[in-house]
């Protein structure tokens, strides 16, 4: 039974990947998660007692912890989800992003290099899960390809780009069998409420404003998290070491379009007339809650992913349309408001971050 070491496995994408992998493979999953504000054991509650799941609380930047897990489990693959990932938080405090995203990735690479010196490396993979933000900002035309030069514009993106360069260097210098994947904006169940989609859903439910940066015309490509996780499994199974693979949802939307679509779904399944908080705040429709706020510093204008390589080499393409995925996401959050309260308790009140300590509402796209 091969062991997969999944770092950050109690976070948003990581926990979705763990559940999918347990359901569709025979792998034993060893989760390493520091359990910071965005990582919670409750995200794994559905599979906590699964006989092929092992959980360790720890930090990927802690050398002894990482090397001990390599020695104990000799993983066939390592999938690195562990990262500080909120752009606004990186503006307020980039030091944690450097520590986790860069130093943590270095420790995983070094531990893998040392572990493989004493055992066969055939079949081993280290998969670095990264982001389209590494590529910078697009104009009105074109898409990011795997060969697009990195040009990060936020401390978060810069830290992920630096980590990706280390992964590439360890492949070229030490022949470490690595893979790097860059994905567009994920959305779906278990996403921490600092990100655009869950933030807007919860604000609407509570009768709060729906703040959108700038004029709302920044464009992102949206990828349902389950589709992304299936792509990562395909990369592990069929990817070529040393290669980079881009995953996108082929669903470009402006931030304003995303929020307006959310409002339309909420009007259908949780109308304001049934929402006491919205009624008390004087709102007759969710669109009335939209508020344009000061833009984020260095806000990238547009992201879009070219996915022909993963279609051709991995046999992967997105299967969940944006409208269907968004409806599933809204329904999940409305059915899991207790989870939302639990993960935010004493750690996050959905205030604006990343703009000189401003306390007005904000969003992350």
């Amino acid at each position: 039974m091969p062991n997969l070491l999944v770092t950050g496995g109690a976070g948003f994408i990581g926990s979705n990947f763990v559940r999918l992998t347990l359901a569709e493979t025979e792998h034993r999953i060893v989760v390493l998660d520091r359990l910071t504000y965005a990582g919670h054991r409750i995200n794994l509650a559905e599979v906590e007692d699964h006989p092929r799941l092992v959980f360790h609380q720890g930090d990927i930047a802690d050398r002894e912890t990482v090397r001990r897990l390599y020695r104990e489990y000799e993983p066939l693959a390592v999938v690195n989800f562990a990262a500080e990932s909120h752009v606004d938080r990186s503006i307020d405090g980039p030091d944690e992003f450097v520590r986790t995203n860069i130093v943590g990735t270095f420790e995983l690479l070094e531990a893998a290099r040392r572990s493989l010196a004493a055992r066969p490396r055939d079949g081993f993979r280290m998969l670095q899960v990264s982001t389209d933000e590494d590529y910078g900002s697009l104009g009105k035309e074109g898409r990011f390809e795997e060969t697009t030069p990195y040009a990060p514009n936020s401390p978060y993106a810069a830290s992920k780009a630096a980590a990706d360069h280390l992964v590439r260097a360890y492949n070229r210098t030490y022949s470490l069998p690595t893979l790097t994947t860059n994905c567009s904006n994920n959305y779906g169940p278990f996403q921490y409420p600092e990100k655009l989609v869950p933030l807007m859903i919860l604000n609407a439910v509570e009768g709060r404003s729906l703040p959108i940066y700038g004029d709302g015309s920044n464009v992102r490509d949206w990828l349902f998290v389950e589709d992304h996780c299936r792509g990562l499994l395909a990369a592990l199974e069929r990817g070529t070491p040393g290669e980079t693979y881009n995953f996108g949802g082929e669903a470009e939307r402006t931030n304003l379009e995303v929020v307006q679509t959310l409002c339309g779904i909420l009007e259908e399944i949780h109308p304001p007339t049934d929402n006491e908080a919205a009624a008390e705040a004087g709102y007759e429709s969710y669109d009335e809650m939209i508020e344009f706020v000061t833009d984020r510093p260095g806000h990238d204008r547009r992201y879009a992913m070219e996915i022909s390589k993963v279609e051709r080499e991995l046999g992967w393409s997105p299967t969940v349309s944006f409208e269907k995925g968004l409806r599933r996401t809204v329904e999940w959050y409305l059915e899991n408001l207790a989870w939302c309260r639990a993960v935010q308790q004493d750690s996050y009140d959905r205030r604006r971050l990343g703009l000189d300590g401003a306390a007005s509402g904000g969003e992350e796209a």
Side-chain angles (χ1 to χ4, degrees), residues 44 60 69 102 110 116 118 133 171 190-191 211-212 214 221 225 255 264 267 289 318 322 337 340 342:
L44 297 171
I60 63 168
L69 292 181
I102 302 176
E110 269 294 281
L116 293 180
E133 299 197 35
N171 173 261
F190 294 96
Q191 187 171 33
I212 301 177
D221 174 36
V225 65
N255 290 344
E267 291 282 351
M289 299 180 180
F322 179 70
L337 293 176
C340 299

Side-chain angles (χ1 to χ4, degrees), residues 223-246:
L223 176 61
F224 191 61
V225 65
E226 185 176 300
D227 270 341
H228 181 205
C229 291
R230 291 187 186 281
L232 295 173
L233 279 177
L236 279 177
E237 293 168 2
R238 299 186 288 278
T240 301
E243 290 294 315
T244 296
Y245 298 98
N246 283 353

